[in-house]
Amino acid sequence: MIEHLHPRIIENKDWATALFVLTFAVVAMTKSAYETRFSEFSKLIFSDKYAKIYRDNSHMKSSFTVGLFFVQVISFAFFILLTLNMYDKASKTDYVLFIQIATFLLYFILAKYLVEKIVAAAFNIDDFVELFNLQKVTYRTYIGVLILPINAILFYYDNIPTIVPLATIGISLCISLYSYFISIKTYQNVIIGKLFYFILYLCALEIAPYYFLYYWITKGSA
């Protein structure tokens, strides 16, 4: 007599494993190729030495920045997906949703960067915005690399307390605020000379986009 068989649902984690291996490999290769620079980069939260040394605009398009930008996008996309999973809003093995999140992040960051360049040209603060963007990219990349191992833990282990992603978000926000403090401190002479444009720039391109993004996400999940 043949019993009724229930199909066993196996979550496909291969795509995530491959991405984790790839991103950790990129970090390892970057560390190997830029040993001194990566060493200073790893101390970013404790010292602003890296920000002072690598403050030239040419570093924005270096292989160091581009490689870790890839890691940043993958890391943030994983974190968003895993946070949604912890609140039962999505499955952590949903690779289609992961691709959608990663694509959205990529377009959001690049679109915001292009708009900033246009606004900077209109306000005649191109040089300052380029330097300011480099500072933001540096600290944002640092956060992305920092939460990469946390993503691996959240993905492969179940029953992780919800305080973990909340604490990670809190720490990331603190690092972001610290980066703004360092940027303002570093370029205070330029900012004072163009204070009105700087405030307008912050309101239009640093506060408004994230406010509307938060409003869109919370409204969509309501």
Side-chain angles (χ1 to χ4, degrees):
M1 182 177 179
I2 301 176
E3 297 181 355
H4 291 289
L5 299 177
H6 297 281
R8 183 183 177 186
I9 301 175
I10 302 176
E11 294 181 327
N12 182 11
K13 297 181 179 180
D14 292 345
W15 65 271
T17 300
L19 277 178
F20 277 124
V21 171
L22 178 60
T23 48
F24 278 113
V26 171
V27 173
M29 287 187 293
T30 303
K31 181 181 178 181
S32 178
Y34 300 90
E35 189 172 349
T36 302
R37 182 173 179 179
F38 193 90
S39 176
E40 294 298 335
F41 174 77
S42 64
K43 303 172 187 174
L44 198 61
I45 190 62
F46 306 107
S47 171
D48 61 349
K49 183 178 178 181
Y50 177 91
K52 290 179 178 178
I53 296 174
Y54 301 99
R55 55 185 291 180
D56 189 83
N57 292 342
S58 61
H59 294 296
M60 178 71 81
K61 298 178 182 179
S62 68
S63 56
F64 181 93
T65 304
V66 173
L68 292 184
F69 175 76
F70 165 78
V71 174
Q72 171 197 152
V73 173
I74 297 299
S75 184
F76 284 150
F78 261 122
F79 184 76
I80 292 172
L81 179 65
L82 293 167
T83 302
L84 290 174
N85 173 75
M86 293 194 73
Y87 289 95
D88 298 321
K89 299 294 184 180
S91 170
K92 63 183 177 182
T93 56
D94 189 345
Y95 68 90
V96 175
L97 180 58
F98 173 84
I99 293 173
Q100 291 173 339
I101 294 172
T103 303
F104 173 79
L105 283 176
L106 181 62
Y107 278 104
F108 177 79
I109 294 171
L110 293 179
K112 187 171 178 292
Y113 174 73
L114 290 175
V115 172
E116 286 175 353
K117 288 186 70 68
I118 294 172
V119 173
F123 291 165
N124 195 27
I125 52 174
D126 306 67
D127 293 337
F128 165 71
V129 170
E130 282 291 329
L131 295 171
F132 193 60
N133 269 325
L134 181 60
Q135 290 275 71
K136 289 190 301 177
V137 168
T138 299
Y139 281 91
R140 194 170 62 226
T141 299
Y142 182 80
I143 295 172
V145 174
L146 198 65
I147 67 175
L148 188 58
I150 298 175
N151 288 333
I153 294 172
L154 292 175
F155 188 85
Y156 290 107
Y157 291 91
D158 297 321
N159 302 319
I160 301 292
T162 54
I163 190 65
V164 174
L166 291 177
T168 304
I169 293 172
I171 294 172
S172 299
L173 288 175
C174 289
I175 295 175
S176 296
L177 291 175
Y178 176 73
S179 72
Y180 280 104
F181 170 76
I182 292 298
S183 297
I184 292 173
K185 180 182 176 182
T186 303
Y187 307 116
Q188 56 183 329
N189 293 332
V190 180
I191 292 173
I192 292 174
K194 300 184 178 181
L195 186 60
F196 172 76
Y197 293 120
F198 178 71
I199 295 174
L200 192 61
Y201 168 85
L202 282 181
C203 294
L205 297 172
E206 293 301 317
I207 299 176
Y210 294 107
Y211 172 79
F212 286 117
L213 182 62
Y214 169 78
Y215 177 79
W216 176 71
I217 291 175
T218 53
K219 184 179 178 181
S221 60

